Amino acid sequence: MHKLGDFKLPQFFNYPPYFTLQPVRDTREKQIQLWKELILDYCKSQKVFLIGVEEDFPLFSNSAIDRTLSHEARETFLSAIVGEGRAEWLDKGHRKCLILWHRIQDWADIILKFVRENGLEDSVMTVEEIRSGTESLGTELEGIDRTILMRALKLLENKGKLALFKGTSADDEGVKFSV
Amino acid sequence: MASENGFFTNAEVTTSGRPVLRRNEVECFLLSSVDLDSEDDPPRFTALRSGNLILTTHRLIWIPSQSTNASSLPSSLPLSAITQIFSHKKSIKSMFHSPRIRFQADPGSVVVTVVFRGKGDFDGFLTKFWECWRGRAWEGEDKSESETSMSGGGAVAQGLYGNDGTVRMVGLAGILRKEQEQWESTDKSLQDAFQDLNALMSKAKEMVSLAEKMRQKLLSAPSSQNGSGDDEEMGSKEEMQQWMLSVGIISPVTKESAGALYHQELSRQLADFVKIPLEQAGGMISLTDMYYHFNRARGTELISPDDLWQACTLWEKFDVPVMLRKFDSGVKVIQNKSHSDEEVMSRIRMLVTKTETLRTGVTASDAALTLKIAPAMAKEHLLSAETKGLLCRDMSPDGLRFYFNLFPEFDLTNLHLVKDFGEYAEWIKATSLVSV
């Protein structure tokens, strides 16, 4: 069992102490870094944008060695990712965590690249089309978390690269690019 | 028996600076800051300055105090060599002098002056000195010794302190003969002994030999019963034998005998005593266990936990081979100075890098078995190994286990990288062996 779906797990995933929050500082520091890398790798390859601390997240338990991360450990590892700006807590209770394997700025750059590559410099699109339209198929934007996409678009709007407007349907917004 | 001094013989002392007593010798009094001087000049007599004077039933022992230079050696003079003790002259002059005693001793009828420069119960010493000299303990001993050998008993070691300073049991051999007679006298001495504690102390020597007698009797009993005794009986007999064997210290340091130097002398005696229990416990023993062992050996002269604590803390000042150690958890232990952490750590490393334990980790009780120490102590060692980064922990519903710390070997830039050599590779080998 060194795979989780099509994700290849490292060997140390079967090392029981990996699942116990280590009390000694140096060891703990290394453990946190290892978890941080593994979570980000996994989320990126599996397009996971949201981790619920209390929900079943495949990485947080290993049935092969019968070990599960404690609540404290999960929060510690996710907080470490938040501390590096690679994730954000969505609530004060630290129950839901938004994972940003690309930072918002990086996502904004990806959108601009996408616009240029598809000749959409002066076009109008809906937000939903960016996530699931034919142009975005097979790109990193396919299936992007809506919260993250909106924040990247707002960042571009502030820079004058586009304008957001309310569309005809109540649940969608339009984007007018002006790159 | 000649020594540099020409008059005194060199006295044996233990590594912690306590005198090595001979068989049946009992320490009676101790005074500090004592000079021994004489009107005679070297080579017949060299003055001994500023040391501790110990009076025993057999000898006067002078031990240099720490501050004096090493040129003065511990010296002793048998009381039997003393031919006369001069009575203490009370005069106006003596009131301004440091208190002193003069006595004459062979060889050569040298007159020795004992000068007390420190504080202490000088009169008490004088009384005891007379008592011991007149008591002629050495004479009675020669007699009983020849009696013992005539009765044909086995030569059980009789000295309480061996030559190496360790505590041995006072023995008595040839018991089975005249058994009836002895039991009668035994009964009497038991009754006498329990009249009061003072009487018991004066009977201490007899009690110790009585214990040895009982032990011998117990030893001989099973053969006469042709093994008909059941296991429980055998067990209790063995236990009884153990008790008898550990009857203890014949001359415990007491507040009465050591006075102001009580804790200091207690500390030295403890340092000598702890060797054997320490060896049995594998180089480290908890303070509570030691308290039990020491008080058991002392018999009636029990010390308080605080006295034990003080005695242990004084070790820092002496050159003794043992030390007191406090773990982070608050557990206090006595350990050999030679019992280094490095050695324990290397043994733990050996334990956790075995193929089997690399895979399963170890518990405190596993480590206790391998290191041959108490589980509580083993846990302390595992925890300090964890703090040093040698181990890391695994908490599971089954409990706490410790693993060899592989974290430093995991590569952050490439999570899948496994170096060809190193414990990480060994661990993968060990775990794959099982899953195949």
Side-chain angles (χ1 to χ4, degrees):
Chain A
M1 101 114 242
H2 289 304
K3 291 220 163 177
L4 211 58
D6 59 353
F7 181 76
K8 188 167 177 267
L9 287 165
Q11 295 277 0
F12 59 73
F13 197 66
N14 281 347
Y15 182 54
Y18 188 57
F19 285 85
T20 298
L21 195 57
Q22 296 300 318
V24 177
R25 208 177 56 117
D26 288 353
T27 313
R28 186 193 190 108
E29 202 46 49
K30 182 70 180 274
Q31 185 189 25
I32 289 172
Q33 294 299 318
L34 288 163
W35 269 104
K36 198 189 80 193
E37 294 298 326
L38 185 68
I39 292 170
L40 288 174
D41 275 8
Y42 180 82
C43 289
K44 189 174 178 184
S45 81
Q46 304 298 306
K47 291 198 181 270
V48 175
F49 293 92
L50 207 61
I51 296 176
V53 171
E54 275 145 42
E55 286 157 32
D56 284 337
F57 181 63
L59 283 183
F60 287 168
S61 52
N62 183 347
S63 56
I65 56 166
D66 197 20
R67 293 290 185 279
T68 303
L69 281 185
S70 67
H71 182 93
E72 186 199 0
R74 294 172 191 209
E75 199 179 317
T76 305
F77 300 145
L78 290 173
S79 293
I81 305 178
V82 170
E84 288 208 351
R86 308 299 296 273
E88 280 175 21
W89 291 112
L90 290 178
D91 56 337
K92 276 187 185 166
H94 291 191
R95 280 192 302 274
K96 285 200 180 300
C97 191
L98 189 67
I99 308 296
L100 300 163
W101 64 84
H102 290 315
R103 294 158 203 273
I104 298 293
Q105 177 60 50
D106 298 336
W107 281 114
D109 292 342
I110 289 166
I111 293 167
L112 287 180
K113 196 168 152 240
F114 165 80
V115 168
R116 289 194 190 104
E117 278 173 2
N118 291 285
L120 299 165
E121 279 89 343
D122 292 305
S123 311
V124 175
M125 281 182 96
T126 65
V127 170
E128 200 50 42
E129 272 177 318
I130 299 175
R131 293 183 67 226
S132 51
T134 45
E135 290 89 347
S136 61
L137 265 181
T139 69
E140 283 194 284
L141 292 174
E142 183 189 355
I144 183 176
D145 180 78
R146 206 182 157 87
T147 321
I148 295 174
L149 179 59
M150 286 311 293
R151 286 175 47 188
L153 291 173
K154 292 230 168 73
L155 183 73
L156 288 172
E157 187 181 33
N158 289 341
K159 288 186 176 175
K161 303 279 188 189
L162 56 81
L164 283 164
F165 58 88
K166 281 278 173 201
T168 43
S169 62
D171 60 343
D172 203 3
E173 282 174 281
V175 184
K176 164 93 173 68
F177 296 110
S178 53
V179 182
Chain B
M1 290 295 267
S3 73
E4 288 176 37
N5 206 305
F7 182 73
F8 290 103
T9 49
N10 285 348
E12 275 186 86
V13 290
T14 65
T15 46
S16 66
R18 292 270 309 154
V20 175
L21 299 188
R22 295 167 188 174
R23 78 191 74 180
N24 297 338
E25 190 173 6
V26 177
E27 191 178 322
C28 299
F29 217 93
L30 188 145
L31 279 173
S32 59
S33 307
V34 174
D35 295 349
L36 294 183
D37 212 342
S38 174
E39 284 117 47
D40 286 299
D41 288 324
R44 286 182 72 206
F45 191 91
T46 309
L48 299 168
R49 304 226 175 265
S50 176
N52 292 342
L53 186 70
I54 297 167
L55 173 74
T56 75
T57 48
H58 294 55
R59 289 183 293 167
L60 271 176
I61 305 168
W62 183 89
I63 295 174
S65 66
Q66 301 255 303
S67 51
T68 37
N69 58 28
S71 64
S72 318
L73 294 164
S75 309
S76 73
L77 179 74
L79 293 186
S80 55
I82 295 175
T83 48
Q84 200 179 351
I85 299 177
F86 297 107
S87 53
H88 190 41
K89 275 178 285 178
K90 287 238 187 260
S91 66
I92 292 177
K93 198 181 160 196
S94 73
M95 290 178 73
F96 298 100
H97 265 171
S98 304
R100 53 194 64 202
I101 301 176
R102 288 164 71 236
F103 63 84
Q104 192 176 40
D106 284 331
S109 302
V110 176
V111 176
V112 181
T113 313
V114 182
V115 185
F116 301 96
R117 302 211 178 276
K119 287 172 194 156
D121 185 4
F122 166 72
D123 290 323
F125 177 82
L126 189 60
T127 317
K128 272 279 177 195
F129 189 30
W130 274 100
E131 217 172 85
C132 292
W133 184 54
R134 283 186 181 139
R136 310 186 90 73
W138 55 92
E139 284 181 357
E141 185 182 290
D142 292 343
K143 210 171 109 208
S144 68
E145 213 172 283
S146 56
E147 258 179 15
T148 310
S149 55
M150 274 174 63
S151 65
V156 182
Q158 299 202 350
L160 236 289
Y161 277 88
N163 290 337
D164 55 352
T166 51
V167 181
R168 277 197 272 129
M169 296 313 125
V170 168
L172 201 114
I175 311 111
L176 294 175
R177 228 162 59 91
K178 299 182 193 170
E179 199 175 314
Q180 189 57 39
E181 218 177 280
Q182 285 182 355
W183 278 115
E184 276 167 21
S185 66
T186 296
D187 199 37
K188 191 169 178 298
S189 43
L190 273 172
Q191 280 173 0
D192 289 353
F194 288 110
Q195 290 296 319
D196 64 61
L197 281 179
N198 279 337
L200 179 60
M201 281 321 287
S202 69
K203 294 275 178 188
K205 214 188 297 174
E206 282 173 52
M207 286 293 112
V208 173
S209 42
L210 171 61
E212 183 62 20
K213 271 185 224 170
M214 286 166 140
R215 193 178 76 84
Q216 292 283 354
K217 193 171 153 52
L218 280 164
L219 275 173
S220 64
S223 58
S224 61
Q225 283 179 355
N226 293 321
S228 57
D230 56 339
D231 285 352
E232 200 183 319
E233 198 183 332
M234 280 302 289
S236 71
K237 268 180 186 157
E238 271 168 31
E239 204 178 329
M240 190 69 178
Q241 281 176 24
Q242 283 300 317
W243 290 346
M244 295 297 180
L245 273 171
S246 59
V247 164
I249 304 172
I250 201 169
S251 185
V253 171
T254 62
K255 278 187 175 139
E256 200 177 288
S257 73
L261 293 173
Y262 173 59
H263 281 120
Q264 204 175 324
E265 289 303 306
L266 184 69
S267 175
R268 290 174 192 274
Q269 186 167 57
L270 180 62
D272 292 333
F273 175 80
V274 348
K275 277 177 202 159
I276 287 171
L278 203 54
E279 217 168 273
Q280 285 164 350
M284 188 183 279
I285 190 167
S286 73
L287 209 54
T288 22
D289 284 350
M290 199 59 236
Y291 182 66
Y292 158 78
H293 282 297
F294 195 46
N295 263 342
R296 260 202 57 72
R298 289 174 65 91
T300 54
E301 293 290 349
L302 300 184
I303 60 164
S304 72
D306 188 58
D307 284 341
L308 183 75
W309 169 246
Q310 294 225 20
C312 291
T313 48
L314 280 173
W315 283 343
E316 285 171 21
K317 293 180 191 162
F318 307 138
D319 183 25
V320 293
V322 289
M323 60 182 276
L324 184 73
R325 173 167 179 200
K326 200 172 166 187
F327 280 106
D328 295 340
S329 63
V331 174
K332 293 183 196 97
V333 298
I334 293 168
Q335 69 171 35
N336 275 323
K337 275 184 180 159
S338 59
H339 180 98
S340 68
D341 275 359
E342 279 70 34
E343 197 203 316
V344 177
M345 289 305 129
S346 73
R347 281 167 77 189
I348 290 177
R349 172 183 279 272
M350 290 262 284
L351 172 64
V352 294
T353 49
K354 283 186 204 151
T355 309
E356 178 65 14
T357 44
L358 207 51
R359 183 175 67 78
T360 59
V362 292
T363 61
S365 39
D366 293 341
L369 280 176
T370 313
L371 304 174
K372 294 194 177 59
I373 48 176
M377 212 73 82
K379 190 171 177 189
E380 293 299 335
H381 286 312
L382 290 175
L383 288 173
S384 62
E386 185 192 33
T387 311
K388 288 195 170 86
L390 178 64
L391 303 179
C392 58
R393 66 173 61 191
D394 166 40
M395 275 299 283
S396 73
D398 301 336
L400 180 62
R401 302 186 79 85
F402 288 91
Y403 283 75
F404 182 76
N405 186 4
L406 293 175
F407 281 104
E409 294 190 40
F410 301 151
D411 196 315
L412 268 177
T413 51
N414 179 0
L415 299 184
H416 300 283
L417 182 75
V418 180
K419 294 189 184 82
D420 289 341
F421 43 88
E423 299 301 334
Y424 188 17
E426 289 298 317
W427 170 77
I428 290 170
K429 243 186 268 169
T431 45
S432 60
L433 279 176
V434 179
S435 57
V436 165

